[in-house]
Amino acid sequence: MEVYVAGAIAAFTVDVLVYPLDTLKTRYQSQDFIKTYAATSNAKPLAFRGLYQGIGSVVLATLPAAGVFFSTYESTKNIFSRNLSLPEPLVYSSASAVAESASCLVLAPAEVIKQNAQMLRNEGGIGATGSTSLQAFRQLGGEGAVRRLFTGYTALLARNLPFTAIQFPVFEHVRAGLRESTTEGNKYTPGSLKQTFLISGFSAGSAGSFAAFVTTPSDVVKTRMMLSVGEEHHEQGHRGKHSHKKGAWRVAQEVWSERGLKGFFRGGLFRSAWTAMGSGLYLGTYDVAKVWLERRKEEKGDIPS
């Protein structure tokens, strides 16, 4: 239970603080921005207005998704460590892959709503009226809404599985090294909450930034797939006929034809920056919350000293 609550606290903290950077990354990667707005005088207003558009759907989904991820990760890591003769990095990678697959089932619909909400434009400016999450949800509604909400799930997995497989072994290794340097006895015991946050935050930030840049191509494809759902559904309403959703291969071909290899790393610096900040806050807050909750439980006498 402590793991689930700690994960939810960490997710909420990150959502509020780094969400604007994610919005900028989404707009920068979108085909709509590239073709329509990048060369106009309205580019800056599009980029910097409504940076919290779509955050409602994300908060509602990432809290349970984070809880599912960390509960699954910690339990799977313990099971694999006890029952499989695998090197530690492979245990961490495998456990994170299982956890990510579970959490993406919760996260995928919110990600579709979020990224379409981040691109909404109103006459009074982006996000000028009403809930942008609800507007995006209505835009995706109607026949086939469930299918549209899970568009990009495979692309989300294709991005997140390599990301976590790279991030968590690096994170665990760096954190273990930093903990060892502060350990006086044979076994590490958490120090102050500040020390716990700094060790975990630095380890996660450095690991996350590297993993984020390496996996930017899959993030570009995933973003374009999810945005194409809203665009095509909107066009379908005007034309009165069905539009086929774009697959990952078709989107990848479009990115290559537009900008070549550079197109697959578009937004990579945004992604690395907000992931370094987000991962540092996320896993730093997670470890702090977990230590704090465990200490509170010990103080109440639930766990013998």
Side-chain angles (χ1 to χ4, degrees), residues 51-92:
L51 294 180
Y52 280 94
Q53 286 182 198
I55 193 171
S57 63
V58 170
V59 169
L60 288 175
T62 54
L63 296 185
V68 168
F69 177 86
F70 282 112
S71 298
T72 307
Y73 176 70
E74 296 288 358
S75 59
T76 306
K77 182 174 68 172
N78 291 333
I79 292 170
F80 286 176
S81 297
R82 288 196 306 265
N83 299 296
L84 299 176
S85 300
L86 296 174
E88 279 193 340
L90 191 55
V91 169
Y92 300 142

Side-chain angles (χ1 to χ4, degrees), residues 148-211:
R148 282 190 291 274
L149 286 173
F150 279 92
T151 296
Y153 173 74
T154 53
L156 187 63
L157 279 181
R159 181 198 70 178
N160 286 9
L161 290 183
F163 175 80
T164 54
I166 294 169
Q167 183 192 28
F168 274 83
V170 175
F171 163 66
E172 297 275 9
H173 176 74
V174 174
R175 185 178 64 172
L178 292 175
R179 283 178 171 180
E180 186 178 343
S181 67
T182 63
T183 300
E184 295 180 0
N186 294 326
K187 184 179 179 181
Y188 170 78
T189 55
S192 67
L193 295 181
K194 178 181 178 182
Q195 182 190 62
T196 299
F197 179 81
L198 290 175
I199 289 175
S200 296
F202 176 80
S203 304
S206 54
S209 178
F210 171 72

Side-chain angles (χ1 to χ4, degrees), residues 250-269:
R250 179 181 168 189
V251 171
Q253 287 178 313
E254 289 179 355
V255 173
W256 177 265
S257 65
E258 289 168 9
R259 303 184 69 85
L261 183 62
K262 289 173 60 178
F264 287 102
F265 286 91
R266 188 172 178 85
L269 293 179

Side-chain angles (χ1 to χ4, degrees), residues 22 25 57-58 61 106-116 156 159 219 222-223 226:
D22 182 59
K25 186 270 302 181
S57 63
V58 170
V106 181
L107 197 58
E111 189 80 1
V112 173
I113 293 171
K114 177 199 78 172
Q115 294 201 310
N116 280 278
L156 187 63
R159 181 198 70 178
D219 182 59
K222 185 270 304 178
T223 298
M226 289 184 168

Side-chain angles (χ1 to χ4, degrees), residues 233-254:
H233 185 53
H234 179 71
E235 291 172 5
Q236 177 185 340
H238 284 290
R239 292 197 307 263
K241 58 182 180 181
H242 180 69
S243 291
H244 295 286
K245 69 177 184 179
K246 296 179 181 179
W249 178 246
R250 179 181 168 189
V251 171
Q253 287 178 313
E254 289 179 355

Side-chain angles (χ1 to χ4, degrees), residues 98-122:
V98 173
E100 194 64 47
S101 298
S103 69
C104 280
L105 286 171
V106 181
L107 197 58
E111 189 80 1
V112 173
I113 293 171
K114 177 199 78 172
Q115 294 201 310
N116 280 278
Q118 286 173 332
M119 293 300 297
L120 284 176
R121 298 177 299 277
N122 297 315

Side-chain angles (χ1 to χ4, degrees), residues 10 26 45 51 68 92 133 137 232 251 253 263 274 276 292:
T26 297
L51 294 180
V68 168
Y92 300 142
S133 294
F137 181 74
E232 291 180 4
V251 171
Q253 287 178 313
W274 82 257
W292 182 78

